[in-house]
Amino acid sequence: MPEIVKKRKRTAPKKDTEDTESSDNGPDAMEILRRHFESQFAPLPEVKGAKKSKAAKKDSGKKKKAKTGVIEEGDDDDSGSGSGSEWEGLSEEEDKKLTAPAPEVIHFTASDPLLKTAKLPKSILKPFISTKPPALRAPSPPTTAPSKPDESDEEDTTTEAHHLQNDLALQRLLRESHLLDANLEATGKNRLKAIEARVQALGGRDLTKHKMPMAARVWMEKSRRAKEEKRRREAREAGIVLEREVRVKKKGGEGKRRERGAFGPSVGKFRNGTLVLSRRDVMDIEGRGEGKGGGKSGKSGKGMGGKGKGGKGKKRR
Amino acid sequence: MTTGTPPLKFTTHASLRRRLLLATLTGTPVHISSIRPNSLKPGLTPSEFSLLRLLDTITNGSHITISVTGTTLLFVPGLISGTNNSQLSHTLPENCARGATYYLELLALLAPFSKTPLNIALTGGVITAATEDDYSVDTFRTAVLPLYANFDITRNIEVRIVSRSSGPVGAGEVHFVHAHQVRLPRTLHLQTPGRVKRIRGVAYVSGVSAGNNARMIEAARGVLNRFLADVYVYSDVKSAQTVPVDYGKEGAVEKARGGVRASGRTRKIGVGFGMALVAETGTGVLYSADAFAGPAEPAEDVGRRAAYALLEEIRIAGAVGRTGVMTMLTMMMMGVEGDVGRVVVGREAVGEEFVGVVRDLKSFFGSEIAVRDGEGGNLVVTIVGKGVGNVGRKVA
């Protein structure tokens, strides 16, 4: 006997909730169970059972509300006004519940099928789930109508282009102002000069030079250097102090030192947390470098001050 | 070696991390005393020890002196040297109670001013999910790191969650790469909060059913879709970690040194689920919220909690969410000397945390901030940059 009871208990709640399929084919399980129970014990008070089955037939959702005291409101009916337009007062059961001083809990649940099924477009998903932090103001999904912003964008770009053009013209005017005549135009030789200057600014060759065969030019340079060297050597041997040598800067590098990053130290190399000073750097600082520029040594002198303080991790302005 | 400037004195463990951070950024020594003197476990916690160790590894020439009881700490910061293009693995203690973002937030603030790129793998007791005190790594990636774009720090920043793990004891792994070093951050003017245009998020699950993600997302969207259609929450499913049975117990590692731990018996760890939501306005302001499942909490509740927390953040408004306040104020203070930066914060964002940040900034940088009323009941915070910038790169 208890076996049967167990079995029916298991099936009973299923009928209760899924009332659509088999609530009206004969006396249901609960009914049989009740009759069996009554035959063994006392008759049960006639409250929940019958009512329940009827209520279940009507609306399973409504019953849930009554049980938990929770009002569920879906926004699947977004036909007219936005929120809660379909609410039709309180049913009797809810009324009873509400007489008790229990707070009303409202759960909003989205059941709009459109929103639910919306899949994440790849264009949005990709940048968001990558390992990189998503960029601010990421491009919005392509669902928005692109017509209106396009127009303003176009306008924007045209004005931007206009400004750029004006800028260029102004720059050119300033650069070539010394070649212009009264009418702000370069004519004749000046015009050619202006064109030449533009070409050079764009990286063209200076045509006024290079009028000599390469070999001859190289030879000339070499002999000039040799002559100068000889003069200096003889002066040094005779103990004559000459003017400081002016080294011609090489074409590629600006100055002797390559700019590393933007944060390199002004003297020496910073490597593995230590400031490495080469012999040359030290000589430079001490001011006994051979034929160094005066300005350079002055600058390193300032660097010495910082070193004296030993400012590792010290704020420098 | 370092200058003879007297250390700044602080007491208690409150905002220890922030003080260590500011000390490292400015190169000021700090002396912190009476750290949990009356606690049953006095002194620094394992997570704080690990933080000090981390600071030691990414700086060069730091000196850390801790008293025998661990209640007093002297920290003399060195240069922020970074990891020199090679990946450095930092192992958190197994019983680390703080989330990974406890360390990541600090790293993200230090990295722009380091000498070489920073590339760190956090391993060991890493909790990637949100915890009581820390937000999740997803929030860090999607809501905190984008803030640095305001300071022109955008390139080569990556956070990779190799394995997810949830509290209270985690065993995840996170890689953090930051290769955009600057001399000085740009001056910030962020005064228009704008209106929320889109909401994104990540629902994450580790070691439990992926169905939890769907349920969380549905509940969160149920709340948020009433206000905004553009809500997308990504779902991420990862498995739990298998660890020895005695994982996280004190002294377990020492006990098993060299041998097999807990005689080979294992258990799963880092099981849980949670959600991180980010709201973005038309002007690029981010508000974020986190929720993590408590014991036996249904997924719907977690999703709803995250959504409500996000709505609360949006209500507080301001041009920077509450998660990003410390980042923003610190970066502004580090900015070009004499340049005035402005940022709008919500009135309710000014709380204990905010005041703590400002006080610490004052004691480290020596300058105060100005706060005045702005539009719509918000406050305009004005900060004059101190031009500290990249200390390590300006030596000699």
Side-chain angles (χ1 to χ4, degrees), chain A residues 257 267-269 276-285:
Chain A
R257 158 177 301 279
V267 62
K269 276 181 199 159
V276 179
L277 297 178
S278 66
R279 175 167 298 167
R280 225 164 80 191
D281 286 327
V282 174
M283 296 235 289
D284 201 12
I285 289 166

Side-chain angles (χ1 to χ4, degrees), chain B residues 343-360:
Chain B
V343 68
V344 167
V345 297
R347 195 169 283 274
E348 283 175 54
V350 178
E352 197 180 338
E353 159 91 10
F354 185 90
V355 173
V357 171
V358 172
R359 279 191 181 147
D360 280 352

Side-chain angles (χ1 to χ4, degrees), chain A residues 24-260:
Chain A
D24 46 359
N25 49 356
D28 67 358
M30 280 304 278
E31 197 62 20
I32 297 170
L33 181 66
R34 192 174 62 82
R35 250 181 264 151
H36 173 71
F37 185 82
E38 280 173 344
S39 69
Q40 294 218 323
F41 303 100
L44 284 170
E46 187 78 23
V47 257
K48 283 271 161 161
K51 216 172 186 181
K52 227 182 216 171
S53 59
K54 271 178 201 167
K57 264 178 214 165
K58 266 204 251 162
D59 178 22
S60 67
K62 219 171 195 178
K63 210 175 80 219
K64 246 191 221 161
K65 289 178 214 165
K67 261 188 174 172
T68 54
V70 163
I71 300 166
E72 289 196 18
E73 185 183 313
D75 55 356
D76 48 345
D77 43 14
D78 261 11
S79 53
S81 57
S83 59
S85 57
E86 298 274 288
W87 194 62
E88 298 164 357
L90 297 168
S91 74
E92 273 184 21
E93 275 176 327
E94 284 163 352
D95 220 4
K96 266 181 217 160
K97 283 273 173 191
L98 287 177
T99 49
E104 186 182 347
V105 181
I106 301 175
H107 284 174
F108 298 113
T109 50
S111 36
D112 190 332
L114 222 171
L115 290 171
K116 226 187 244 177
T117 53
K119 275 263 172 155
L120 210 55
K122 269 267 168 66
S123 58
I124 297 172
L125 187 89
K126 263 281 175 61
F128 191 76
I129 62 162
S130 73
T131 57
K132 298 225 164 63
L136 291 180
R137 267 153 284 181
S140 55
T143 48
T144 49
S147 61
K148 211 179 177 186
D150 242 11
E151 277 169 25
S152 64
D153 265 12
E154 218 167 70
E155 210 171 79
D156 255 20
T157 49
T158 52
T159 50
E160 192 82 329
H162 199 63
H163 284 319
L164 208 65
Q165 236 168 14
N166 283 346
D167 256 15
L168 278 175
L170 178 67
Q171 290 292 330
R172 184 170 281 177
L173 185 71
L174 288 174
R175 223 178 297 124
E176 294 166 4
S177 57
H178 63 289
L179 299 170
L180 304 179
D181 56 14
N183 301 327
L184 286 179
E185 264 177 65
T187 49
K189 232 178 191 178
N190 281 348
R191 192 176 62 85
L192 291 176
K193 266 188 193 168
I195 290 170
E196 183 62 26
R198 281 179 211 169
V199 168
Q200 274 181 40
L202 289 171
R205 281 201 311 180
D206 189 357
L207 290 179
T208 57
K209 289 177 183 171
H210 304 291
K211 286 219 165 164
M212 188 182 280
M214 191 59 181
R217 177 171 289 278
V218 168
W219 171 251
M220 220 176 84
E221 269 295 301
K222 206 172 166 187
S223 64
R224 194 186 58 76
R225 224 179 298 136
K227 225 183 275 174
E228 172 72 10
E229 205 171 296
K230 192 181 165 208
R231 188 175 74 96
R232 287 201 172 267
R233 194 179 60 235
E234 280 173 353
R236 196 160 55 238
E237 280 163 5
I240 302 165
V241 178
L242 282 183
E243 82 280 0
R244 252 185 224 276
E245 194 177 6
V246 180
R247 283 262 165 88
V248 182
K249 279 178 184 171
K250 272 190 184 161
K251 220 178 183 180
E254 244 108 334
K256 160 178 77 91
R257 158 177 301 279
R258 190 162 54 89
E259 193 71 79
R260 269 189 224 94

Side-chain angles (χ1 to χ4, degrees), chain A residues 75 83 107-110 115-116 118-121 124-125 128-134 136-138 140-141 263 265-266 270 272-273 275 310-317, chain B residues 1-3 27 60 79 115 141-142 145-146 150 157-160 182-183 198 200-202 218 221-222 225-226 232 234 280 282-284 286 304 337 388 391 393 395-396:
Chain A
D75 55 356
S83 59
H107 284 174
F108 298 113
T109 50
L115 290 171
K116 226 187 244 177
K119 275 263 172 155
L120 210 55
I124 297 172
L125 187 89
F128 191 76
I129 62 162
S130 73
T131 57
K132 298 225 164 63
L136 291 180
R137 267 153 284 181
S140 55
F263 311 109
S266 51
F270 197 80
N272 289 338
L275 184 69
K312 199 185 236 185
K314 168 87 179 137
K315 189 182 97 177
R316 298 285 312 265
R317 286 180 295 151
Chain B
M1 60 138 267
T2 25
T3 49
N60 183 17
L79 305 169
K115 185 171 151 49
R141 185 175 60 81
T142 56
L145 282 182
N150 292 313
I157 305 175
E158 250 180 77
V159 183
R160 180 172 286 120
V182 294
R183 168 86 187 91
R198 59 182 71 94
R200 298 281 176 271
V202 178
E218 168 139 22
R221 292 186 64 172
N225 268 341
R226 297 172 62 81
Y232 289 109
Y234 174 69
E280 191 188 334
T283 55
L286 299 169
R304 224 170 275 133
E337 185 166 22
V388 175
V391 178
R393 294 195 162 215
V395 98

